[in-house]
Amino acid sequence: MKIGMNQICINPTRPLVPVGFITQDRHVSQVRGDLLARMVRIEDENRHWLCIALDSFGISRSFFTKIEEKVFALIGKVELTISCSHTHFAPSLVHALGVFEEDPIYVDFVLERIVHCLRNIKLNEVTNPRIGYRSDRFTEVGRNRVSGKSDDDVIATVVSLFDGEKRLVNFLHYNCHPTISPEDAAYFSADYVSIAIEQLTSKYPTEFTLFLQGAAGDVSTRFTRTQKTYNEAIRLGRMLGIKFLDLHDHIDVTEQFSLQLRTQTIDLHHTVKSFNQTVVLNLSEKEVREFSTAQTVLDVMRAKVHTFDPSARLTGVKVGPLRFCFLPFELVSGYLRYCNTFTLIVGYSQGYVGYVTMPENKEVTYESMLETISEDDKLKIVAFLEDRA
């Protein structure tokens, strides 16, 4: 087996508009917390996986295809996964739902940076590949943002790859929206993600660390942050980083691993909802504002529904006993109930489709109003997570 790692800065080199909030409309150039592309490349006999993690809101399927073409031309055919941290403070790499548009200048820039980064990955021989991981519920940074909903499915995990006793790579996994800074922030930022990673890289500089975002559709810092500032992103990022360090330092069981790779494409059936005027009790002030926003967004989506992605790419990467599920959805945290303890959902990957609430959902929330896929589509996601597909 061979493993290689690399990262590269993808801070924009000219003023651009961040994407994530519909109220963002001004060009900014300052950066607080660098935006990075991080990648891990693993060759295991005839199985070959390239994992790219971007500090970005999301990517278009077209952007994924462009990177795939570049990767195949450079290193041959591999199983490629591209996931995003879902920061709302980066330029746009996504065209989706009639609401978001790619920034062509930034698309070309990031493509060039990823190719440069990949060219400079050095693959190292690993003679005794081993994997270890540890998870724990952690709600000091993220909590369910829907009033009255459970926080039981907010989980922090560290997955580490070793060569014998030597730790090589840490995958940090958490499910919480990186939206701590204000919506009109005059800077780009990776939000809490870069701060959390920094805690590990400062203590373990020889280990490569990257972040994978989980099922964060209904999880945010709404009930944990004390203010909407970058200083608050630092505070909460450090808290999460300390948790990751604790998990990292208590991984005491490892086992040998090999790779298993599988990709499935499912058809999607989109319907844009009409705004529901049902009165929902016990809403927070923030939720009331979100319902007002939803009404505006739905009007835009309805006019563009013919442009929505007709299919979704689902990729399963099994590393020993642990299975990563890379999905293009903004799944709510309840989908963890369909996963065994050896499955990690990685959302905002392989494209971007938007919010997906639970099957047979009856609740009216901002997330449920904006989701578009069918009930049958949701059941296909469940089957994939349960490894029945």
Side-chain angles (χ1 to χ4, degrees):
M1 179 177 290
K2 295 179 180 179
I3 298 180
M5 307 81 72
N6 203 6
Q7 65 182 38
I8 195 166
C9 184
I10 54 171
N11 291 340
T13 56
R14 63 181 74 187
L16 297 173
V17 180
V19 66
F21 299 108
I22 64 171
T23 54
Q24 290 169 322
D25 59 5
R26 61 172 170 168
H27 288 68
V28 301
S29 56
Q30 182 184 3
V31 179
R32 306 192 70 177
D34 286 335
L35 307 175
L36 294 177
R38 301 174 176 89
M39 56 183 71
V40 175
R41 181 180 169 188
I42 303 177
E43 288 187 0
D44 179 22
E45 296 180 343
N46 62 339
R47 297 172 294 275
H48 192 172
W49 175 36
L50 177 63
C51 175
I52 301 176
L54 303 175
D55 289 320
S56 185
F57 176 85
I59 60 166
S60 298
R61 279 285 297 277
S62 61
F63 182 76
F64 179 96
T65 300
K66 289 176 183 176
I67 294 182
E68 189 174 52
E69 290 172 353
K70 298 280 188 182
V71 168
F72 287 7
L74 195 61
I75 63 173
K77 192 169 183 179
V78 303
E79 192 67 64
L80 175 65
T81 61
I82 306 174
S83 64
C84 296
S85 65
H86 200 57
T87 177
H88 284 42
F89 309 102
S92 182
L93 296 172
V94 63
H95 173 89
L97 304 181
V99 179
F100 306 113
E101 298 291 340
E102 289 180 351
D103 187 307
I105 294 173
Y106 192 60
V107 165
D108 290 343
F109 170 73
V110 174
L111 279 170
E112 179 184 331
R113 299 294 281 170
I114 287 175
V115 169
H116 180 75
C117 187
L118 182 57
R119 279 201 180 105
N120 288 282
I121 285 184
K122 180 183 178 181
L123 285 172
N124 298 294
E125 197 74 39
V126 175
T127 58
N128 184 16
R130 304 185 72 83
I131 182 172
Y133 45 91
R134 196 173 186 93
S135 297
D136 196 15
R137 180 172 176 266
F138 186 68
T139 59
E140 293 181 54
V141 173
R143 291 184 57 194
N144 197 304
R145 66 185 183 186
V146 180
S147 294
K149 298 293 287 184
S150 169
D151 301 321
D152 289 347
D153 298 315
V154 184
I155 309 292
T157 302
V158 174
V159 180
S160 297
L161 305 184
F162 299 77
D163 184 5
E165 298 299 315
K166 181 181 179 182
R167 198 182 309 235
L168 304 175
V169 178
N170 299 303
F171 295 92
L172 310 183
H173 183 269
Y174 193 55
N175 55 321
C176 176
H177 268 68
T179 53
I180 301 173
S181 289
E183 295 182 12
D184 60 349
Y187 51 81
F188 298 110
S189 170
D191 206 72
Y192 73 78
V193 171
S194 61
I195 307 301
I197 290 176
E198 188 179 294
Q199 307 304 295
L200 268 81
T201 56
S202 294
K203 186 173 180 180
Y204 300 106
T206 63
E207 300 173 11
F208 187 81
T209 300
L210 66 163
F211 178 88
L212 302 177
Q213 184 63 262
D218 57 348
V219 179
S220 76
T221 59
R222 178 175 300 169
F223 301 121
T224 60
R225 63 186 182 236
T226 59
Q227 52 187 335
K228 293 276 284 179
T229 65
Y230 187 67
N231 284 339
E232 184 69 353
I234 293 174
R235 183 182 74 84
L236 291 177
R238 285 175 176 167
M239 289 176 60
L240 181 58
I242 290 169
K243 181 62 179 179
F244 281 141
L245 278 170
D246 179 65
L247 294 170
H248 171 285
D249 293 346
H250 287 87
I251 292 175
D252 53 9
V253 177
T254 63
E255 54 187 286
Q256 289 190 321
F257 75 87
S258 60
L259 287 181
Q260 294 182 41
L261 308 167
R262 183 169 73 88
T263 292
Q264 175 187 352
T265 299
I266 63 171
D267 292 333
L268 298 176
H269 306 85
H270 296 282
T271 302
V272 178
K273 295 181 174 67
S274 298
F275 185 74
N276 194 322
Q277 300 291 343
T278 302
V279 175
V280 182
L281 302 177
N282 302 317
L283 292 181
S284 68
E285 181 181 338
K286 173 70 172 177
E287 287 169 316
V288 171
R289 292 199 304 272
E290 285 180 338
F291 270 97
S292 177
T293 300
Q295 187 168 12
T296 301
V297 172
L298 286 170
D299 290 340
V300 177
M301 291 171 61
R302 194 169 295 108
K304 297 289 186 72
V305 66
H306 63 282
T307 68
F308 292 7
D309 283 345
S311 63
R313 181 169 177 161
L314 319 180
T315 301
V317 178
K318 198 170 183 184
V319 186
L322 192 74
R323 181 168 172 256
F324 294 101
C325 291
F326 293 88
L327 313 168
F329 309 111
E330 198 156 346
L331 296 179
V332 297
S333 57
Y335 275 86
L336 272 67
R337 301 169 206 167
Y338 298 111
C339 301
N340 61 35
T341 55
F342 305 111
T343 298
L344 293 178
I345 294 171
V346 187
Y348 315 94
S349 306
Q350 317 299 73
Y352 180 76
V353 174
Y355 288 116
V356 179
T357 64
M358 297 293 286
E360 299 183 354
N361 174 67
K362 304 299 182 186
E363 295 179 318
V364 180
T365 64
Y366 177 76
E367 294 80 12
S368 70
M369 288 304 300
L370 296 185
E371 71 174 344
T372 65
I373 69 171
S374 72
E375 194 69 17
D376 285 344
D377 296 342
K378 292 183 184 181
L379 295 179
K380 292 175 185 176
I381 298 170
V382 170
F384 187 81
L385 293 176
E386 294 181 335
D387 208 12
R388 294 185 289 107

